[in-house]
Amino acid sequence: MNQGQIGLRARVEQLASNPGHQVVTRALVVGVAAAVVVPVVLPLAKPFAKATIKAGVTLIEKTKMAVAETMEMVADIAAEARAEVQTAQAQAAPVGESAPSGDANQN
C-alpha cells in the first residue's frame, strides 16, 4: 500500500472513510480526546495523586519505625539471653575453676 506524499488531514479522512480501518479510526479518536482531556483532568488529579503519595510516605515511615522498634526489642532479648547463658555457665563451673581473671601475662 503505497501512500506517497499524503497530508495528515487527507490520511485521517482516508482512514475514516475505509471501514476496514475502524480500529485505527477509534485509536485516532481516543488519542485526540486524550490530548484534549488530559490538560483539563491533570490539574484535578494532582491533589489526589499528592494525597496518595503522602499517605504512602507516611506508611513507609511508620513501617520503618515499627521495624526499628522490633529490632531493638529483639536485640534486648538476645542480650538478656546471652547474660543468662553466661550466668548459668559461671554457676555451673567447678569451684576451683573460676572464670579467668583477665590477666593474660601471669606465668
Side-chain angles (χ1 to χ4, degrees):
M1 181 169 169
N2 188 5
Q3 308 252 333
Q5 296 294 330
I6 186 170
L8 179 60
R9 183 173 291 186
R11 179 68 179 137
V12 170
E13 289 174 5
Q14 182 185 21
L15 289 172
S17 67
N18 189 343
H21 294 290
Q22 288 180 353
V23 173
V24 176
T25 304
R26 286 183 189 153
L28 239 150
V29 169
V30 168
V32 170
V36 171
V37 171
V38 166
V40 174
V41 173
L42 199 57
L44 300 175
K46 184 178 178 180
F48 175 74
K50 186 176 177 182
T52 303
I53 292 170
K54 283 173 59 176
V57 168
T58 302
L59 179 65
I60 289 170
E61 291 300 319
K62 286 184 178 182
T63 303
K64 284 181 182 179
M65 288 176 47
V67 168
E69 289 175 6
T70 302
M71 293 301 291
E72 185 177 337
M73 286 177 25
V74 169
D76 289 346
I77 292 170
E80 289 176 15
R82 269 190 230 106
E84 289 177 8
V85 167
Q86 289 174 351
T87 302
Q89 287 176 347
Q91 290 175 352
V95 177
E97 296 179 23
S98 62
S101 64
D103 201 7
N105 291 333
Q106 278 184 338
N107 286 333

